[in-house]
Every structure is written in C-alpha cells, then in structure tokens.
Amino acid sequence: MPDPAVPPTPPVALSALLAREDLGLRQIAGPRDTNTVIHWAHTSEMADPYPYLLGGELLLSAGVHIPEAAGAGTYFDDYVSRIVAAGGAALGFGLAPVHDTVPRALVEACDTYELPLLEVPPQTTFSGVARAVWQLMAQARHAELRRVTEAQQSLASAASRPDPVRAVLRQLAQRVGGWAVLYGPEGAESASAGRAPDGQGQEAASAGRAAETTAAGRAAETTAAGRAAEIAAAGRAAEATAAGRAAEIAAAGRAAEIAAAGRKPGDAVRGALAELANVVLPTGPGTPTSATDTAAGTHLAAYALGAGQGFVLGVAAPHRDTGDHTIASVAAVLLSLLTGEHQSGSGAARSSALVRLLLGAEPEAVAPLLGSGDWLVVHGSPDAQPCDPVAAAALGAALGSPLVDLARDVVRVLVPADREPAPQPGWALGVSGPASARDWPAADTQAARALSRARATRTPLHRHGTHRPALTDLLSPGEAEAHAHALLAPLTPPLAETLRTWLSLHGSWDRTAVALAVHRNTVRQRIARCAALLGTDLDDPDVRMELWFALRHGER
C-alpha cells in the first residue's frame, strides 16, 4: 500500500527532470540512482525544513538561510541530515542571487548522507522547476490511465474467451510482468499463469550457473594440481602442500556455490503469497479484502473474490508500478464473476431446481436442492424507481443470496433463514418470518405486507412479527377462516387490502397512501366504500378489532 504521508500523485523520475534541457539542471553530489523519484517540488529557506516536508520532495533553496561561517562548523551536516530524516528525495540549490557557487561543504554533506544535490542555474526559476515537475506528473498520469484502460479492455476480452479464468490470469500476469495465481476455497492453487517464482526459467538458469560453477571448480582444481606438480618437481614440498590445501579450499567453496545454486529461492515467495492469501479469506466483518507484502525482493498482493466463496487472487511481481493495483482489482472483479456461485455446484443445483419446478415438481420436493433449513422472503423497493437488473443483483449480493426476482416495482429475494438481512442504503425492505418450502407463498405475502409497513413508516427494514400465543389461538382455524370469509365477502380484493393496510397503520390516511402508492383521497374513498358495503361504523374500536381479526385469518 502507498505511504499515506506521500501525496497520491504519480512519482517523477529524477533522471527525467535532469533530462529536461530547458531547465539545465546538473547533479553535482549524491548517488546517481536511476530509480530515484520525486513526488513534488517544494521551496523553503528554513534552516530546518523538517517540519514542512511530507517526504519525497525535491527541496529547492537559494541558500538564504546559510550563515556566513557555516562552512567551519556542522551547519551543513545538520541541514542535510534533517532533509534526509524527513524523507526528502533530492535538494536543488539555486545559483544567484545569494551564492555564485554551491558551497563545497554542502556538496560534501550530500555525498555523506547520500542525498542527490542538483545545481539550478541562474536562468532557471524555482517556479519553472515546479512547473516541469507538474508537467512530468501529468504525462505520467496520462500514461498510467492509458495503461489501465488498455489493461481493462484486454482483461474483459480475455473473460469472454474459452477457459476464461486462465485467460484472465494470463493477461494479468502479462500486464504486471509477474505471476498470477488463483487459490481455491481450500487454499490450493487452482490455476496460474505467468512466470512462477520457481519456474522452469529460473531452474534452467540455476542449472546453468551450477554447470559453470562445476567447470570453474574443476579448472581451478586442475590448475592447482598442475601447480603442485611443478612445485614438487622443483623440490618445494612445503609450497606444494600449501597449494594442495588451497585447491581443497577452492573446491569446497565451489561445492558450496553449487549447493546454493541448486536451491529454489522462489519457494519462499510462493509460501509468503499463500500465507497472504489466507489473510484475506473471509472470516468476519473485519476481514480485509486485499493485502500486500514483500518477500525476497518480490512484491506480493492478494485479493478476496466474491462474497464468501473462498477464492483468492494472488499476484507476485518483481516490481510494482503505478496502476498495478487498479489492474489487479479489475481482474479480481472479473474472476469473482467467473468463479461465483453460479459457476459452482450450488449453481447447477439451482438450475436443476428450476427445471424440476417447470416440469411440475412440488416446491417442497425441490427445496432440498437449494439447501436445507427454512428460508426468508425479502421484498425490496428502491428509493429511486424504477429498479434495474443491476441494482436487483446488487441487492441479492448484499443479502447473500443469488435467488433474485425482479418485478416492475419490487425485488424479491429468497434468503436462507440463517442469514440475518440487514438494512441496505437506498432500499426499503420487508422480511417474512422463517418458512419451509410449503409455506413460501404465505411468506411472500408476509414480506409484501412488511414492505408496505416499512414504506409507510419510512423505515429501512421491517420484519414480520414472530407468532406469540394469543386469544385467536383459542378458536379453530377452520371456524375463524369461515367467519372471516363471511364477514369480508362484500369487499373486493383491492378494498380488503386497503382496509387491512389502513387498520395496520392506525387509520392514518397519509401513511396508508404511501404504503399503497395512491393518493390520500383514494384511500378515503375506498374506506368509505368499505364502511358502506359492510354496513358498519369504522370509527368503533370493537368493529376495527373484529375486522382486523377477520383480515388476519382470511388471508390464510
């Protein structure tokens, strides 16, 4: 992950700034490392710029802060050490109007603390240097966006090819110049592409190095043996013995090199990447979705795929360029879709369940294919109508179920009862009670009415109440249902639903209108019509109670 103290802008190579002929900058001290980058240019004439630096800056100074006797003490050592401690990337010293040359003590201090020192000629202004840095950053940003866009297009194209998972992995490995691996739910490598840390190329190179080392060792032994023979012939036995020992030492050293060459340094990288993949495996709400690390000079990254499916994308690359995280994230999204539940055994089971229902099987006979246990029916209504398929699928993913049905103004989701639905931003939700497959239609009705209640009360989620012992349990269900049908017979279904909603909302015209998505005058007209057809006074609490009892039992 990037350092939070560094501004989120593409870094600029110091060598690119030095290559600008219009600036005329010249490096006169410090390491000439082509990998040195700067994140911004900052001008300061403070004797201690440490408190004003974030890290990664090219600090520009004309030496106004330098006292006359600075060269005789430790002033420059203190000054440069504070820049290095603050994370400064380089120092630019301007010639004129204060100094005609760069102080020699400053050059020596920059060499000592390994801080690149640039000489800024008099005709180059500090604002011109800062503008050049900004221009280079803009170019880098443009190049980064172009690279990311091209990578997105190639990854999307790979996802549409045969064997799309491996095609995406190959394209990702090519784009980041490393190795991409897909870990399955058990943590094993399911598929991979690119140059593995201990790939054949590295093994061949190691074998080649071992062969060279063996040949060199044999040459050394032969040379030493020949030298020993010459010495022995000359009668210098002591020298021959010493030469023989030297040959033994050389041979032992060659053997050690050969043994080292035979090792696989990539094993450590593979192990570290596998451990990093375990970090992002979904185990709870606080589990990170991505993680990075470094092992044996190789940059590692891991990305969790999907919503709890257990797949993880791992990436190992010798370097990590700007935009690599975005490219890998795009690949992770595509792989999440490719390895999602619809590609798994449960997806095949759902397809089988649908076919059996279409062929006339009973719901209770099909339900075991979807999983054991009871289910919840959730009705969702978006705050912004109408709802599109993407939003409906997103709601199902948020609730942890792919069983989604999109209607004109409501989304229905079938959720396992062991998953507790939570309120979702931008949605009003109604949740039924737990129900077996036989009772799914009744649970669907419960969810619809719970959604009406949620919309009427402007709450994000309303749950159907759990059943508790009541006076109605003293009556036979058949007798209660017969009484309800007889009492409500004069009412049409729209009138009965309006009356039920109005009673559930304590006679509120406004909230009933919201729940039914009609005008409040329409509610008044329907309630008046109900009172006329039933021949009763709806302001009487006893009448309301009896009607509510009938409506509750008549819906069964």
Side-chain angles (χ1 to χ4, degrees), residues 32-201:
R32 286 165 173 77
D33 186 359
T34 57
N35 295 325
T36 301
V37 296
I38 58 176
H39 291 267
W40 197 243
H42 176 68
T43 301
S44 175
E45 296 298 341
M46 302 296 294
D48 182 11
Y50 181 94
Y52 309 98
L53 299 180
L54 294 175
E57 296 95 342
L58 167 62
L59 179 63
L60 299 172
S61 173
V64 178
H65 57 88
I66 300 177
E68 293 183 0
T74 62
Y75 180 86
F76 288 112
D77 282 344
D78 297 339
Y79 176 67
V80 174
S81 65
R82 292 290 284 174
I83 297 175
V84 173
L91 173 64
F93 193 87
L95 302 181
V98 181
H99 298 271
D100 296 332
T101 60
V102 180
R104 182 60 189 170
L106 178 59
V107 175
E108 295 174 354
C110 288
D111 280 331
T112 300
Y113 290 95
E114 298 184 344
L115 177 68
L117 175 62
L118 311 184
E119 181 185 81
V120 183
Q123 68 273 15
T124 301
T125 62
F126 288 173
S127 59
V129 175
R131 181 176 61 183
V133 171
W134 179 86
Q135 291 172 345
L136 291 172
M137 285 182 174
Q139 295 173 6
R141 174 66 69 186
H142 178 72
E144 174 191 347
L145 292 176
R146 182 173 58 205
R147 174 173 175 259
V148 170
T149 301
E150 292 175 351
Q152 289 175 337
Q153 294 172 349
S154 63
L155 288 169
S157 177
S160 63
R161 297 172 189 162
D163 195 5
V165 171
R166 286 180 172 79
V168 170
L169 290 174
R170 283 194 296 268
Q171 192 60 230
L172 174 60
Q174 178 182 346
R175 292 290 173 174
V176 301
W179 184 52
V181 56
L182 178 66
Y183 295 100
E186 302 301 327
E189 295 181 9
S190 176
S192 64
R195 186 180 180 86
D198 55 348
Q200 294 180 353

